[in-house]
């Protein structure tokens, strides 16, 4: 039973983290496409250029969320559910439903 | 005295928020410059292109932090210091020192 509880809590943390990343991916992909369209007015934008812009938005977003993700995972391991609740509230993640 | 307390708390929140944004700005400016250098290998990168990439990283970072910022400001107004502490821990902001 103890093991099941632990597993459940880890899954809970995983869900919050995955909601966080999917909210953030929506933002970064939208902004990436806006920027690509702006550059297309003056340049030939091929695969290489799209990749640079994709990598750029990916790096910015993932690096900003790197610390919170680590802290969340550690908190979940240590049974600290406060963090999960606060992160859900901070980023307005509605329980992943 | 009540007014002073309120002001102090608001300043506290402002400091956490400004630490958060300066940590995030460092990330986005670094990644922006990496991307600009990659594009320079194939393109003439002038003011317009730098602006597009700057706006892109700015938009991604600020939109990710928009909700947390709002929640923090509201929490500070409502005397909820828990949030400030959690955000400092989540993003490893060491008290802005």
């Amino acid at each position: 039973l103890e093991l099941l509880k632990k597993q459940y809590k880890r899954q809970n943390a995983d869900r919050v983290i995955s909601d966080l990343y999917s909210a953030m991916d929506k933002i970064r992909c939208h902004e990436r496409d806006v920027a690509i369209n702006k550059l297309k007015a003056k340049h030939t934008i091929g695969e290489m250029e799209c990749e640079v812009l994709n990598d750029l938005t990916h790096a910015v977003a993932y690096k900003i969320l790197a610390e919170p993700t680590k802290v969340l995972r550690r908190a979940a391991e240590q049974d600290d559910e406060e963090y999960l609740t606060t992160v859900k509230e901070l980023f307005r993640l509605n329980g992943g439903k």
Side-chain angles (χ1 to χ4, degrees), chain A:
Chain A
L1 190 70
E2 208 42 51
L3 208 72
L4 263 176
K5 249 190 193 166
K6 221 172 186 164
Q7 205 176 8
Y8 172 76
K9 275 171 188 169
R10 202 172 43 218
Q11 281 171 358
N12 233 346
D14 285 345
R15 213 186 38 196
V16 172
I17 291 168
S18 99
D19 287 348
L20 184 59
Y21 278 82
S22 79
M24 178 270 292
D25 258 339
K26 240 165 80 181
I27 294 172
R28 78 163 188 90
C29 291
H30 171 75
E31 298 299 333
R32 178 198 63 199
D33 296 341
V34 169
I36 288 174
N37 280 328
K38 279 190 211 159
L39 292 176
K40 271 186 182 163
K42 257 187 77 181
H43 297 276
T44 313
I45 301 296
E47 227 172 273
M48 175 268 197
E49 291 80 4
C50 287
E51 207 181 298
V52 171
L53 267 76
N54 188 57
D55 290 350
L56 170 60
T57 56
H58 193 277
V60 170
Y62 277 66
K63 283 188 179 175
I64 289 175
L65 295 181
E67 276 308 326
T69 307
K70 269 192 259 172
V71 174
L72 272 182
R73 287 212 192 281
R74 203 165 41 230
E77 274 167 27
Q78 287 165 0
D79 258 17
D80 191 344
E81 284 181 39
E82 284 270 314
Y83 272 109
L84 286 185
T85 315
T86 308
V87 168
K88 274 199 253 178
E89 286 165 0
L90 271 177
F91 289 94
R92 296 257 181 120
L93 309 169
N94 296 313
K97 273 159 239 154

